[in-house]
């Protein structure tokens, strides 16, 4: 189709993560078949979410309150789990292995992209560790190069404060096959082997 | 996250074709990281497209004019290509094997879903064949059960008018492997084999 408003809509859908032109066209065609009221609702949902949802003043996770539900919980353990993105909080909250709070960096240190420690939400973590009398910081950035580098940076930053800094264990994933596990993961799994 | 406006946005994204809850969440998270103005633009694009784009009065393809660009072209061949959906027009327009017009059914005959000939945009095709002095109708519905049934119905409907009714050739697709080609396609490819 050669219609400006269609192309514009396809362009907007293409901005979504992993959405190429073909998928964007599919979404746009689908939208045109939706009733007017439903499209209005969809657009409203976007604007409302963007308007209502902002960063928690404490942990910087998304919330529609001033301080998010997790940070406002009473009787939390004095543990902060540091993650790269809000969706990592969702993943970790599903397993509920600890009853502490989170700290969302909104990025990781990445010198190649010119991202230093001051370009992510890191310095407020120092304040929190002091003020909230934190005993342990679990660094749960992704197990990739930038995530590892960020974890090491955070460990060096926090250790002088006397707080325990831990990192998620690395090893073979449940249901995976040794044959197809990468060598780095395998060697870490051997290094951290545990007695049965 | 346990936020109403976030869940609502995820729900809206889930309506898009082949988008499950996980993908919808990914889109929603991404939207929250977009600048306010960009989200406003995205929502505007949806509303504008829905407002401006409607069915062409002749062929029922999507257009922002009263009669679409293809239908308004002068010196068209007296050929109508019948398709199920507007996106089929896009696919066929890319190859430009004929210089005629299209007719979009917006569905196919599907008794299991209670869809009869009057539930799709079929009857206006009869008028067009007469009025536009059409010599050939290419039935380009999908080569599946409903598409085939619809094609046969259209052929029976149009033949009394003296118009030539054709169907896209069926056979092995370019780049495919015989080993993995389904038996129906293979047998049609043999039946319609051509001399070299």
């Amino acid at each position: 189709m050669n219609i400006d408003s269609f192309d514009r809509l396809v362009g907007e859908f293409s901005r979504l993560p992993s959405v190429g032109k073909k998928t964007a066209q599919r979404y746009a065609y689908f939208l045109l078949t939706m009733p007017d009221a439903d499209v209005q609702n969809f657009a409203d949902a976007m604007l409302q979410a963007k308007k209502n949802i902002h960063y928690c003043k404490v942990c910087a996770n998304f919330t529609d309150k001033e301080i998010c539900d997790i940070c406002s919980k009473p009787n939390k353990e004095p543990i902060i789990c540091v993650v790269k993105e809000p969706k990592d909080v969702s993943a970790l909250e599903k397993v509920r292995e600890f009853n502490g709070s989170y700290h969302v960096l909104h990025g990781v240190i990445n010198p190649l992209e010119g991202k230093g420690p001051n370009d992510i939400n890191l310095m407020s973590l120092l304040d929190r560790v002091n003020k909230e009398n934190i005993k342990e910081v679990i660094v749960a950035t992704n197990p990739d190069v930038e995530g590892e580098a960020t974890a090491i940076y955070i460990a060096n930053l926090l250790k002088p404060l006397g707080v325990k800094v831990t990192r998620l264990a690395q090893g073979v994933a449940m249901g995976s096959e040794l044959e197809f596990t990468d060598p780095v993961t395998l060697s870490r799994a051997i290094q951290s082997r545990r007695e049965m």
Side-chain angles (χ1 to χ4, degrees), chain A:
Chain A
M1 263 202 306
N2 209 357
I3 308 176
D4 286 346
S5 41
F6 186 78
D7 291 342
R8 187 184 158 205
L9 183 59
V10 172
E12 292 292 346
F13 275 125
S14 307
R15 302 184 56 175
L16 296 173
S18 325
V19 173
K21 205 184 163 202
K22 278 223 161 184
T23 307
Q25 279 178 342
R26 223 169 136 218
Y27 292 168
Y29 274 122
F30 179 82
L31 202 88
L32 292 178
T33 65
M34 282 166 66
D36 281 2
D38 290 15
V39 176
Q40 183 72 55
N41 273 337
F42 199 153
D44 278 351
M46 287 167 66
L47 298 172
Q48 282 304 313
K50 186 65 190 166
K51 195 181 141 216
N52 294 340
I53 301 174
H54 43 252
Y55 292 168
C56 167
K57 278 204 167 174
V58 179
C59 72
N61 191 15
F62 286 131
T63 179
D64 55 355
K65 311 189 176 67
E66 197 183 15
I67 293 173
C68 77
D69 290 340
I70 299 173
C71 286
S72 337
K73 255 190 324 195
N75 307 322
K76 288 192 299 288
E77 290 177 88
I79 300 176
I80 292 180
C81 181
V82 179
V83 296
K84 182 186 176 194
E85 292 173 303
K87 51 189 161 194
D88 301 326
V89 176
S90 302
L92 289 162
E93 273 296 282
K94 267 181 212 142
V95 296
R96 297 205 145 277
E97 277 296 328
F98 77 109
N99 178 30
S101 59
Y102 294 88
H103 191 84
V104 182
L105 299 174
H106 291 286
V108 280
I109 297 171
N110 189 340
L112 285 177
E113 289 180 3
K115 262 193 168 175
N118 292 315
D119 300 315
I120 58 178
N121 177 38
L122 183 49
M123 292 315 157
S124 62
L125 179 62
L126 287 170
D127 291 339
R128 288 188 65 193
V129 168
N130 282 325
K131 276 187 203 154
E132 300 177 26
N133 201 17
I134 297 299
K135 299 288 176 240
E136 180 179 353
V137 171
I138 306 171
V139 186
T141 51
N142 291 329
D144 53 21
V145 177
E146 293 81 17
E148 288 290 314
T150 307
I152 292 165
Y153 188 91
I154 294 175
N156 291 334
L157 196 69
L158 295 180
K159 273 183 185 163
L161 303 180
V163 65
K164 186 173 159 191
V165 183
T166 56
R167 183 107 177 91
L168 292 188
Q170 288 186 18
V172 289
M174 194 69 193
S176 64
E177 296 189 49
L178 288 194
E179 185 185 351
F180 304 117
T181 303
D182 69 283
V184 176
T185 302
L186 261 190
S187 69
R188 296 214 172 152
I190 295 169
Q191 283 157 26
S192 312
R193 67 191 179 278
R194 62 200 170 86
E195 207 174 311
M196 297 182 60

